[in-house]
Amino acid sequence: QVRLVESGGGSVQPGGSLRLSCSVPRDKYSVNDMGWYRQAPGKQRELVASISSRGSRNYADSVKGRFTISRDNARNTIYLQMNTLEPEDTAVYYCNAELQWGKVRREYWGEGTQVTVSS
């Protein structure tokens, strides 16, 4: 079982910033797309941002211009820089990664990190 290690959640006032990170242990697989999803109470989990192994990025409309996803392939780590946070960004944020062994691909999730935006 591969465990994704997340860090960086917390509480911040509206307009503040947080940075999330997620690492995949190095082993005998390749790491394809990685991304961040979030789930607010009573809502479905939604994509926040994703990044391919080549650096192609995708963002939810609600975070464009405020959030930036980046990736360090040497460390199998992605980062989510979240600026100008809004109360609507409050949610549990989950890291997601697709790993590949030969032709076999599997999706893994982190345990989640809480982000709370409140005055």
Side-chain angles (χ1 to χ4, degrees):
Q1 184 71 11
V2 178
R3 180 170 174 263
L4 277 57
V5 180
E6 302 160 330
S7 64
S11 296
V12 66
Q13 292 185 341
S17 298
L18 286 173
R19 189 191 193 213
L20 307 182
S21 66
C22 173
S23 296
V24 179
R26 298 190 66 83
D27 208 320
K28 297 178 181 178
Y29 46 67
S30 59
V31 183
N32 297 333
D33 289 1
M34 296 184 70
W36 289 97
Y37 288 70
R38 67 186 181 187
Q39 187 168 18
K43 294 188 176 181
Q44 290 188 332
R45 191 173 296 189
E46 62 177 1
L47 174 69
V48 176
S50 65
I51 185 167
S52 72
S53 57
R54 296 186 179 185
S56 177
R57 295 168 173 84
N58 183 41
Y59 295 97
D61 287 343
S62 59
V63 306
K64 284 181 180 177
R66 301 188 298 121
F67 291 10
T68 301
I69 191 169
S70 59
R71 178 168 178 158
D72 183 342
N73 285 330
R75 299 183 177 184
N76 279 356
T77 299
I78 60 171
Y79 306 93
L80 185 67
Q81 178 65 44
M82 303 185 293
N83 298 330
T84 320
L85 282 159
E86 303 169 353
E88 292 73 22
D89 296 317
T90 296
V92 178
Y93 284 68
Y94 296 92
C95 179
N96 175 272
E98 182 187 84
L99 309 184
Q100 185 166 356
W101 295 258
K103 296 182 179 180
V104 177
R105 301 184 183 189
R106 291 180 182 168
E107 195 174 20
Y108 290 86
W109 292 89
E111 295 182 349
T113 185
Q114 177 70 46
V115 171
T116 301
V117 185
S118 174
S119 55

